[in-house]
């Protein structure tokens, strides 16, 4: 079985950078089929007002956006083994231009097998049909100039085999994965950003048997682009990380994980700048009171840019405070800061700050109501991509009533 802190780290990064955190948690009810599958449906209806839809520094345009997002999760548990399947979609309607309407689809599946107390296997896969936001991705700085949305597909498959009983002092995990991204339109530009990324890794754990375990992780990812860049220089690279870390659940108050070490990004072409330096990932949950939680996340790594430069050295810092005022009402306050420094034949630096104020009300008769305000500010050495944005939204999440 996976260590709980691995799941927490992934969740904290997602909460800190993209998704709204929920303090009072919605626990939707489910139905059980005669075959033993637990089916959990949910439906989210939302409306939001975006005061800078195209992410422009001036002459901003607003949008009122309605969103419909149904999802269905299926889970089969057979002793320590489990099998899951998820499918979800998100459809957005815009008040001023139907060109901006879209439907995204996400499909995922996973298998967890425990052959013995010493042998465990996890396999997960997902496929997404997505659209880039106006003024972001390939349309950075020119979101209002195009007559259609940029859409793409991505697939991700990962496998993890772990050997060693959870109670033993040492375990070892082998990981493998494959990621693929393909754009579906604007091929004059997007063909240079389609790529595959195989991954191999090994992690050695030492269990202190005191609520913590230390580990050494070695991982290699190979970026393989389908078409050589428009300047005739390949973007293919080998990315290797060697990280030393620790994950702990020592008390009921604090849970967390960190890993820090060395990253080397080596491009196939000697005409591109290679990266060699410090890299880290860390997340922690501090819960001084049963009804109040502080989450902290930070990371640093070199990653591939979408448009300009050879690589981006990105540093991320985030904090989220969640407070339950009652069994039904909670508040969420979060703030994140991202520093991006581009390498290559030009000097570009971006600083992105965003914050969220949210309020969640758990309605026992149908689900949850969530209100939020997002503030986003990007400063850059390229003046044409700087922008400020405020989004005000209200979501209604409907679910089957959970068992008392």
């Amino acid at each position: 079985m996976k260590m709980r802190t691995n799941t927490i780290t992934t969740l904290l990064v997602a909460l800190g950078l993209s998704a709204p955190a929920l303090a009072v948690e919605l626990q939707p009810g489910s139905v059980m089929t005669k075959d033993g599958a637990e089916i959990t449906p949910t439906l989210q209806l939302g409306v939001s007002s975006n005061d800078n839809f195209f992410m422009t520094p001036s002459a901003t345009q607003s949008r009122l956006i309605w969103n419909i997002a149904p999802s269905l999760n299926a889970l089969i548990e057979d002793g320590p083994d489990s099998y899951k399947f998820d499918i979800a979609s998100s459809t957005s309607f815009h008040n001023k231009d139907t060109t901006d309407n879209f439907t995204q689809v996400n499909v995922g599946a996973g298998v967890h097998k425990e052959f013995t107390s010493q042998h465990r296997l996890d396999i997960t896969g997902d496929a997404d049909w997505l659209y880039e936001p106006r003024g972001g991705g390939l349309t950075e700085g020119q979101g209002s100039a195009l007559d259609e949305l940029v859409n793409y597909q991505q697939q991700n498959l990962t496998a993890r085999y772990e050997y060693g009983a959870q109670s033993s002092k040492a375990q070892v995990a082998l990981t493998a994965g494959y990621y693929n991204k393909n754009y579906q339109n604007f091929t004059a530009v997007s063909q240079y950003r389609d790529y595959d990324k195989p991954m191999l890794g090994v992690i050695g754990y030492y269990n202190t048997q005191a609520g913590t375990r230390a580990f050494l992780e070695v991982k290699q990812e190979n970026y393989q682009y389908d078409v050589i860049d428009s300047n005739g220089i390949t973007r293919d690279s080998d990315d290797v990380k060697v990280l030393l870390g620790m994950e702990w659940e020592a008390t009921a108050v604090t849970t967390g994980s960190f890993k820090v070490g060395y990253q080397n990004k080596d491009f196939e072409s000697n005409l591109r700048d290679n990266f060699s330096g410090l890299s880290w990932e860390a997340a922690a949950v501090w819960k001084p009171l049963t009804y109040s939680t502080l989450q902290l996340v930070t990371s640093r790594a070199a990653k591939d840019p979408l448009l300009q430069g050879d690589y981006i050295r990105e540093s991320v810092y985030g904090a989220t405070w969640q407070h339950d005022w009652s069994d039904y009402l909670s508040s969420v306050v979060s703030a994140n800061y991202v520093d991006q420094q581009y390498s290559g034949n030009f000097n570009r630096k971006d600083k992105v700050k965003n914050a969220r104020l949210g309020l969640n009300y758990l309605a026992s008769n149908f689900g949850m109501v969530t209100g939020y305000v997002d503030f986003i500010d990007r400063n850059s050495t390229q003046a044409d991509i700087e922008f400020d944005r405020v989004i005000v939204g209200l979501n209604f999440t409907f679910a089957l009533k959970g068992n008392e």
Side-chain angles (χ1 to χ4, degrees):
M1 186 166 57
K2 290 184 180 179
M3 287 288 285
R4 180 183 171 196
T5 44
N6 284 345
T7 304
I8 289 175
T9 299
T10 302
L11 177 62
L12 287 180
V13 172
L15 291 176
L17 300 182
S18 59
L22 297 180
V24 171
E25 288 190 19
L26 174 65
Q27 297 179 340
S30 58
V31 295
M32 190 71 68
T33 70
K34 63 180 181 179
D35 298 322
E38 184 180 5
I39 308 298
T40 307
T42 60
L43 173 64
Q44 185 178 90
L45 305 179
V47 60
S48 62
S49 174
N50 185 330
D51 74 343
N52 189 355
F53 183 70
F54 294 108
M55 304 186 197
T56 55
S58 61
T60 60
Q61 297 185 39
S62 62
R63 285 286 190 277
L64 190 64
I65 305 168
W66 291 269
N67 185 257
I68 303 174
S71 66
L72 184 69
N73 303 325
L75 174 66
I76 298 176
E77 293 183 316
D78 182 14
D81 302 336
S82 63
Y83 310 85
K84 64 179 182 179
F85 174 78
D86 308 317
I87 184 168
S89 69
S90 178
T91 301
S92 292
F93 301 96
H94 300 72
N95 67 326
K96 292 184 179 179
D97 192 344
T98 58
T99 301
D100 297 315
N101 298 344
F102 64 83
T103 296
Q104 300 187 139
V105 178
N106 315 93
V107 179
V111 176
H112 173 74
K113 293 285 291 183
E114 296 193 18
F115 304 100
T116 69
S117 62
Q118 293 187 322
H119 300 274
R120 297 170 294 281
L121 177 65
D122 287 278
I123 300 175
T124 60
D126 54 73
D128 306 308
W129 292 261
L130 305 173
Y131 290 82
E132 289 186 345
R134 289 282 199 170
L138 293 181
T139 64
E140 185 179 70
Q142 54 177 340
S144 60
L146 304 177
D147 58 0
E148 64 177 310
L149 297 174
V150 177
N151 68 300
Y152 64 96
Q153 299 176 6
Q154 63 181 16
Q155 299 84 36
N156 193 28
L157 179 66
T158 60
R160 174 188 170 99
Y161 166 74
E162 187 169 330
Y163 172 76
Q166 295 285 11
S167 58
S168 64
K169 280 189 171 292
Q171 301 92 26
V172 62
L174 304 177
T175 59
Y178 177 80
Y179 174 83
N180 173 263
K181 182 177 184 179
N182 281 294
Y183 283 93
Q184 304 302 298
N185 56 355
F186 294 101
T187 55
V189 176
S190 65
Q191 63 177 325
Y192 306 114
R193 295 301 180 264
D194 294 341
Y195 71 94
D196 306 293
K197 185 178 66 175
M199 180 273 290
L200 289 173
V202 59
I203 311 172
Y205 293 95
Y206 176 75
N207 193 340
T208 67
Q209 299 184 345
T212 64
R213 66 175 182 172
F215 61 90
L216 176 65
E217 177 181 355
V218 180
K219 181 173 70 172
Q220 176 168 326
E221 296 175 312
N222 303 107
Y223 290 80
Q224 303 169 355
Y225 285 83
D226 295 350
V227 181
I228 294 179
D229 207 354
S230 56
N231 60 10
I233 305 173
T234 179
R235 303 189 66 86
D236 292 356
S237 67
D238 296 330
D239 195 310
V240 178
K241 291 182 181 177
V242 180
L243 304 172
L244 183 65
M246 180 172 290
E247 49 191 31
W248 71 93
E249 196 173 355
T251 69
V253 176
T254 305
T255 304
S257 172
F258 79 87
K259 49 187 176 182
V260 60
Y262 173 80
Q263 178 185 5
N264 182 72
K265 189 173 185 62
D266 185 18
F267 285 93
E268 182 178 310
S269 172
N270 57 13
L271 298 178
R272 294 195 180 274
D273 293 340
N274 296 324
F275 173 82
S276 179
L278 189 65
S279 180
W280 71 71
E281 297 175 28
V285 177
W286 180 48
K287 194 167 186 174
L289 302 169
T290 57
Y291 51 83
S292 195
T293 303
L294 179 64
Q295 304 171 348
L296 302 173
V297 293
T298 180
S299 65
R300 172 175 288 182
K303 69 174 192 178
D304 280 31
L306 192 57
L307 290 175
Q308 301 171 315
D310 296 335
Y311 66 83
I312 305 172
R313 191 180 68 181
E314 181 179 79
S315 301
V316 178
Y317 307 91
T320 301
W321 175 49
Q322 306 171 101
H323 189 84
D324 295 346
W325 300 98
S326 70
D327 291 340
Y328 303 98
L329 185 66
S330 69
S331 61
V332 177
V333 179
S334 66
N336 297 288
Y337 174 76
V338 181
D339 181 277
Q340 297 179 325
Q341 299 185 27
Y342 287 69
S343 74
N345 297 324
F346 68 103
N347 181 27
R348 174 179 167 182
K349 295 181 181 180
D350 293 353
K351 298 182 185 298
V352 182
K353 293 171 285 185
N354 62 73
R356 165 168 289 210
L357 303 177
L359 199 63
N360 309 304
Y361 177 72
L362 192 61
S364 58
N365 58 336
F366 72 87
M368 175 173 280
V369 181
T370 301
Y372 62 91
V373 182
D374 287 337
F375 305 89
I376 306 170
D377 174 73
R378 178 166 72 181
N379 295 310
S380 175
T381 52
Q382 291 189 200
D384 61 327
I385 63 171
E386 293 187 324
F387 72 91
D388 297 304
R389 167 189 277 182
V390 178
I391 300 174
V392 180
L394 185 65
N395 291 329
F396 298 87
T397 303
F398 300 90
L400 297 179
K401 190 172 181 180
N403 296 326
E404 299 293 338

